[in-house]
């Protein structure tokens, strides 16, 4: 996309207002992208990094507050061992290579998911990147790693039950606000817009509680081919929608 055209679209989007504060993305189709080229699945994941890079930059330039990427689900452990290992290595490599760029763009990195099951080398790179970007005041980039929405709710219920047992608060204190604060996403606004690539129409156990009123935008584009112009399309579609949250609009 030409620089001039890019700037014009961005200005149009910003001028329209009503930007999504939080965009969540299910990055799907890496395997299919690779298969169509006669390559190994991991080549699709590798190519997906360029899509991540362009999307993060564009989201930052638009002034989006939070971008959450579903990088590894709790179900993804069921993939072939070598694919899982390659993904973990790719994650480490990418964090090591890109942290400076994130810092330069004022991005703050954060994660959601049960990190304790990640290999030590990935966890180490992750902690370092989080620490080094902790003073970022622009886009919050959230990586969902070993994340599952049901598992997240289980963790929240356990914490609440334990707090009640310890008499930190009573059962009557349990409400939607408390539950939200006990999720991994505590402190973040709920996603306004969910983008899913490669044409699948599923939530796949992603942010189940948080996406109660999220607008969904699905594209047939496979994740490695996803670029800022697709992000712009999704946002412009979002801006044209009427969100009623169950109410009636006069
Ligand atoms: C889904 O495609 C993709 C994944 C499970 C992994 C996504 C990970 C990346 C793009 C790299 C992560 C890196 C960072 C820094 C966020 P698929 O393999 O399920 O594709 P298929 O449905 O065509 O098989």
């Amino acid at each position: 996309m030409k620089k001039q055209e890019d700037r014009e679209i961005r200005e149009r989007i910003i001028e329209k207002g009503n930007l999504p504060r939080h965009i969540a993305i299910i990055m799907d189709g890496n395997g299919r992208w690779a298969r169509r080229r006669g390559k190994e699945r991991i080549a699709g994941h590798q190519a997906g990094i360029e899509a991540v890079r362009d999307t993060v930059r564009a989201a930052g330039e638009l002034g989006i507050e939070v971008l959450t990427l579903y990088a590894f689900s709790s179900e993804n452990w069921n993939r072939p061992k070598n694919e899982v290992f390659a993904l973990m290595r790719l994650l480490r490599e990418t964090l090591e290579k890109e942290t400076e760029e994130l810092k330069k763009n004022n991005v703050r990195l954060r994660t959601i998911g049960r990190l304790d099951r990640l290999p030590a080398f990935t966890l180490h790179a992750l902690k370092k990147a989080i620490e080094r970007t902790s003073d970022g005041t622009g886009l919050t980039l959230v990586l969902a790693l070993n994340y599952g929405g049901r598992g997240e709710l289980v963790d929240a219920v356990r914490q609440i039950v334990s707090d009640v047992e310890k008499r930190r608060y009573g059962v009557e204190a349990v409400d939607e606000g408390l539950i939200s604060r006990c999720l991994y996403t505590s402190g973040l606004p709920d996603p306004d817009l969910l983008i899913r690539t490669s044409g699948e129409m599923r939530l796949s156990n992603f942010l189940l509680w948080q996406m109660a009123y999220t607008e969904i935008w699905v594209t047939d584009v496979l994740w490695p081919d996803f670029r800022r112009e697709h992000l712009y399309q999704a946002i412009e579609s979002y801006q044209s929608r009427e969100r009623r949250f169950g109410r009636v609009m006069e």
Side-chain angles (χ1 to χ4, degrees):
M1 182 177 240
K2 291 203 191 79
K3 273 217 164 98
Q4 169 74 9
E5 191 190 353
D6 179 43
R7 201 172 46 233
E8 278 169 17
I9 300 181
R10 230 180 316 129
E11 282 170 3
R12 183 172 78 212
I13 289 174
I14 292 169
E15 205 170 300
K16 179 132 201 234
N18 180 34
L19 273 174
R21 292 180 66 193
H22 182 173
I23 300 176
I25 306 184
I26 302 179
M27 309 179 288
D28 198 10
N30 295 351
R32 271 161 284 174
W33 184 94
R35 194 170 60 231
R36 285 181 196 171
R37 285 165 178 74
K39 294 182 177 177
E40 299 271 345
R41 296 177 53 79
I42 188 66
H45 300 315
Q46 265 157 358
I49 298 298
E50 193 48 45
V52 170
R53 207 180 277 131
D54 201 37
T55 304
V56 171
R57 279 208 194 112
E61 287 165 13
L62 278 170
I64 302 296
E65 287 174 50
V66 186
L67 177 69
T68 300
L69 303 177
Y70 207 178
F72 195 86
S73 79
S74 45
E75 288 76 29
N76 284 155
W77 297 108
N78 299 321
R79 295 187 173 216
K81 261 206 175 95
N82 65 345
E83 185 181 343
V84 171
F85 187 70
L87 263 172
M88 292 299 156
R89 229 176 24 203
L90 183 61
L91 197 64
R92 176 187 64 179
E93 261 174 44
T94 306
L95 289 166
E96 285 173 350
K97 265 196 223 146
E98 303 293 334
T99 302
E100 267 323 296
E101 173 78 12
L102 293 178
K103 259 184 94 65
K104 234 188 275 166
N105 289 300
N106 207 14
V107 175
R108 180 169 55 184
L109 189 68
R110 170 171 172 171
T111 59
I112 53 173
R114 292 179 183 159
L115 294 191
D116 52 355
R117 206 180 150 188
L118 298 182
F121 65 83
T122 306
L123 201 54
H124 179 72
L126 206 53
K127 283 190 174 151
K128 224 163 109 182
I130 290 171
E131 203 181 286
R132 290 185 53 208
T133 60
S134 59
D135 55 356
T137 54
L139 175 75
T140 297
L141 174 62
V142 184
L143 295 184
L145 291 165
N146 189 23
Y147 174 87
R150 288 185 173 181
E152 177 182 40
L153 285 165
V154 168
D155 286 349
V157 170
R158 284 187 180 158
Q159 191 191 319
I160 291 169
V161 171
S162 150
D163 286 347
V164 169
E165 271 177 3
K166 289 180 185 137
R167 299 189 189 281
R168 292 207 172 116
Y169 47 76
V171 172
E172 66 291 345
V174 180
D175 58 12
E176 294 187 11
L178 177 74
I179 293 174
S180 290
R181 287 193 296 280
C182 291
L183 299 175
Y184 309 144
T185 48
S186 176
L188 299 175
D190 287 339
D192 301 294
L193 173 64
L194 169 71
I195 296 173
R196 181 159 190 157
T197 56
S198 91
E200 309 291 349
M201 307 269 186
R202 287 189 288 275
L203 285 186
S204 298
N205 203 15
F206 194 35
L207 301 170
L208 295 180
W209 171 276
Q210 298 87 337
M211 295 218 279
Y213 286 102
T214 300
E215 296 291 327
I216 303 176
W217 189 83
V218 175
T219 175
D220 284 332
V221 171
L222 305 176
W223 179 252
D225 294 325
F226 191 91
R227 290 294 180 275
R228 56 178 61 220
E229 51 263 40
H230 306 111
L231 180 74
Y232 296 156
Q233 283 169 23
I235 294 175
E236 292 202 288
S237 161
Y238 170 87
Q239 287 177 313
S240 69
R241 299 185 195 183
E242 185 187 281
R243 299 181 80 194
R244 290 195 298 272
F245 300 96
R247 295 186 303 258
V248 178
M249 294 298 196
E250 289 310 320

